[in-house]
Amino acid sequence: MRKPIIAGNWKMNKTAAEAVALINELKPFVAKSKPEVVICVPYTDLWVAKEAIKGSKIKLGAENVAWADSGAFTGEISAAMLKEIGVEYVIIGHSERRQYFGETDATVNMRLQQALKNDLKPIVCVGETLEEREKNKTKKVLKKQILEGLKDVSDFTNIVIAYEPVWAIGTGKTATAEDANKTIGFIRSLVKKTWGSEVAKSLRIQYGGSMKPSNAKELMAMRHIDGGLIGGAALKAEDFASIVNYKG
Ligand code: PGA
């Protein structure tokens, strides 16, 4: 059985003081939650977040990681820096990184290798844009993102994939549960074909894109959907908690 994983992606929101306040609000709500609960926060919030989540089930994640060990990479943060804080998860290849910061499948793969080498658990994001979807290119795009982004990976134990259709991110538009399930099913079959059925059976694949309290239960009921990557709704303790506690 794949353990569901609900992860918040705070993006560029919350100062350190605001982060502590949100975590303190969130903690009692998720004390008895069944899924794995992760918050991926801005780099500047990581230290205080690590302290604030102590004694709770909440796990800590970052929103990116550098592809090199160290060196002249102004503005980047290395895996060792994250490890020292106690970060467990790291988002890689989010569509906003691809869209605004030139992230490609090749750089996704380099960051992924670095995360794995340092025992960070990567949440690798894939997804098609509206234009690609309308041109019927979804499968082709996902195939390229997965085969190139996950190139040379042999151990999938710590990897999570997040399927996030770009047109559903921050727009209020959600893929229907059936649609999301079908596309994630396609990803699972691609993984099976490429890396074998054991990997495909155990790999956790999240849905992301305007997931909220009102649609979480329906999405999570789907066979192939093992969790959610939550943007906007992760910034309000009650909303995020209600997604985490989708089973009631
Ligand atoms: P959203 O963002 O929930 O605000 O659509 C999801 C994401 O970008 O990970």
Side-chain angles (χ1 to χ4, degrees), residues 9 11 94 96 164 168-171 208-211 229-232:
N9 172 13
K11 310 191 179 186
H94 189 278
E96 285 146 20
E164 300 203 301
I169 294 178
T171 58
S210 300
M211 193 158 163
L229 186 56
I230 322 297

Side-chain angles (χ1 to χ4, degrees), residues 216-234:
K217 194 172 177 180
E218 196 190 354
L219 285 159
M220 291 302 295
M222 291 290 143
R223 183 157 82 97
H224 290 296
I225 302 181
D226 305 316
L229 186 56
I230 322 297

Side-chain angles (χ1 to χ4, degrees), residues 63-119:
E63 298 177 17
N64 202 355
V65 61
W67 62 61
D69 289 331
S70 63
F73 298 98
T74 303
E76 287 289 291
I77 299 291
S78 75
M81 293 170 183
L82 298 178
K83 279 303 280 188
E84 193 176 282
I85 299 172
V87 169
E88 187 172 339
Y89 281 90
V90 62
I91 297 173
I92 296 176
H94 189 278
S95 64
E96 285 146 20
R97 301 290 324 167
R98 295 176 189 260
Q99 187 179 351
Y100 305 127
F101 302 100
E103 200 79 60
T104 64
D105 295 323
T107 58
V108 166
N109 188 255
M110 288 158 73
R111 293 183 197 275
L112 172 65
Q113 300 293 354
Q114 191 69 13
L116 292 173
K117 191 174 101 180
N118 288 278
D119 287 324

Side-chain angles (χ1 to χ4, degrees), residues 24-235:
N24 286 337
E25 217 188 315
L26 183 63
K27 277 203 289 195
F29 286 129
V30 299
K32 295 203 175 92
S33 306
K34 290 188 190 76
E36 204 174 337
V37 186
V38 184
I39 51 169
C40 299
V41 306
Y43 291 134
T44 46
D45 294 347
L46 286 170
W47 271 114
V48 292
K50 178 67 196 167
E51 286 302 310
I53 59 175
K54 269 197 185 141
S56 80
K57 295 170 73 173
I58 304 170
K59 296 176 173 174
L60 189 61
E63 298 177 17
N64 202 355
V65 61
W67 62 61
D69 289 331
S70 63
F73 298 98
T74 303
E76 287 289 291
I77 299 291
S78 75
M81 293 170 183
L82 298 178
K83 279 303 280 188
E84 193 176 282
I85 299 172
V87 169
E88 187 172 339
Y89 281 90
V90 62
I91 297 173
I92 296 176
H94 189 278
S95 64
E96 285 146 20
R97 301 290 324 167
R98 295 176 189 260
Q99 187 179 351
Y100 305 127
F101 302 100
E103 200 79 60
T104 64
D105 295 323
T107 58
V108 166
N109 188 255
M110 288 158 73
R111 293 183 197 275
L112 172 65
Q113 300 293 354
Q114 191 69 13
L116 292 173
K117 191 174 101 180
N118 288 278
D119 287 324
L120 289 166
K121 299 175 179 168
I123 299 175
V124 183
C125 301
V126 296
E128 81 286 1
T129 62
L130 183 60
E131 197 191 345
E132 289 160 347
R133 181 180 177 84
E134 282 171 349
K135 288 185 176 155
N136 258 326
K137 287 188 178 159
T138 300
K139 286 184 180 174
K140 194 174 158 201
V141 168
L142 291 174
K143 191 171 173 188
K144 180 176 180 295
Q145 289 176 339
I146 287 169
L147 295 186
E148 292 183 15
L150 297 168
K151 197 169 143 233
D152 296 330
V153 172
S154 51
D155 186 356
F156 280 75
T157 321
N158 286 333
I159 296 181
V160 175
I161 290 182
Y163 166 60
E164 300 203 301
V166 179
W167 48 271
I169 294 178
T171 58
K173 285 185 206 155
T174 323
T176 64
E178 287 76 20
D179 231 24
N181 187 55
K182 220 165 105 186
T183 309
I184 291 178
F186 164 75
I187 293 173
R188 205 176 290 290
S189 66
L190 176 67
V191 167
K192 183 176 173 183
K193 216 165 87 184
T194 315
W195 292 282
S197 57
E198 287 311 307
V199 172
K201 251 189 251 164
S202 57
L203 178 68
R204 294 186 292 177
I205 309 179
Q206 299 172 313
Y207 167 79
S210 300
M211 193 158 163
K212 47 197 169 219
S214 59
N215 59 25
K217 194 172 177 180
E218 196 190 354
L219 285 159
M220 291 302 295
M222 291 290 143
R223 183 157 82 97
H224 290 296
I225 302 181
D226 305 316
L229 186 56
I230 322 297
L235 298 174

